[in-house]
Amino acid sequence: MWLYAALAALAWALGWLLRDRRRLRRAAAALEREAAGTGHVRTTLLDVTRPESVRQAAAWVQAHVGDKGLFGLVNNAGVAQPIGPTEWMAPDDYRRVLAVNALGVVEVTLALLPLLKRARGRVVNTSSVLGRLSANGGGYCLSKYCVEAFSDSLRRDMRHFGVKVSIVEPGFFKTAATDLGSIEASLWELWERLPPDTRLSYGEDFIHKYLKVQRFIMNLVCDADLGKVTWCMEHALRARHPRTRYSAGWDAKLLWLPASYLPACLVDLALAAILPKPAQRAR
């Protein structure tokens, strides 16, 4: 019995691997020609937080693709700051991040959806492992949870029209969003604007301890190889059977995603053990 189960599992794994490696010949050939040629790349500026800019970009795409439609859309615009303890945030801190990371994705996708339907194309939304597990306060985790939910509902609705939707969930990579200088400067700004009573509840040493832990974690897990992320995007665009979700980075596969399946109480205990304790915490 166990032998049959093992053989069935092996056959499934081999079948999945072969299926995963199949590419769309037409799309692959077109991409190769574009890369080899000159003068085929077109660019335009887009502010995903401004509806008029989104409308202009959609009209620009329409003018270039015509009746063929749009085959691929990759939503990758994102900001992270500020991040830190939730109590340190103001409502506008959330609005700024959500405007780019979540509502920007929604607005751009909806504007281009008719063209994507026409081409039976692909949508690739960049989320994060922090869209699976909220490890800090601020708008970033919220925005990535929104991307996950939007992508799931979009994928289920668009399957009837042949449009495929994939989510890329990178771990921590060395980008502008993870630059320690800007992260720490932003955290100091949050700290300086806190009311005196709030700062007293945390204690003057809290921010120094928080920065030390944050620096240790970022230096430990941040990966410099962005090719691991772009490979996922490329596969989602070129594969005959793109995956629903892609995990990019060793920390995504071995740390964050497994942790997201653990009971919440265990994750809470782990984070509480790692992060510094406020001075006036309840005992």
Side-chain angles (χ1 to χ4, degrees), residues 1-15:
M1 177 181 175
W2 290 110
L3 177 60
Y4 291 124
L7 289 174
L10 179 60
W12 178 88
L14 290 174

Side-chain angles (χ1 to χ4, degrees), residues 28-55:
L31 285 173
E32 289 169 1
R33 287 197 301 272
E34 292 292 325
T38 58
H40 295 292
V41 176
R42 301 288 186 271
T43 62
T44 188
L45 295 177
L46 168 62
D47 183 345
V48 299
T49 67
R50 294 177 52 240
E52 181 58 29
S53 180
V54 174
R55 284 192 292 269

Side-chain angles (χ1 to χ4, degrees), residues 206-219:
F206 181 88
I207 187 170
H208 298 284
K209 294 177 181 177
Y210 193 96
L211 289 171
K212 184 178 179 180
V213 171
Q214 183 174 255
R215 198 174 298 124
F216 172 78
I217 293 174
M218 298 294 275
N219 287 330

Side-chain angles (χ1 to χ4, degrees), residues 7 22 65 71 100 115 123 185 196 208 235 243 246 262:
L7 289 174
R22 296 183 68 190
V65 301
F71 183 77
V100 177
L115 296 176
V123 179
H208 298 284
H235 187 275
R243 305 175 196 173
Y246 293 82
L262 292 175

Side-chain angles (χ1 to χ4, degrees), residues 61 65-66 68-73 112 115-122:
V61 173
V65 301
K68 293 182 296 183
L70 177 66
F71 183 77
L73 168 64
L112 295 173
L115 296 176
L116 289 159
K117 287 173 63 178
R118 191 176 302 167
R120 300 183 68 183
R122 308 283 174 85

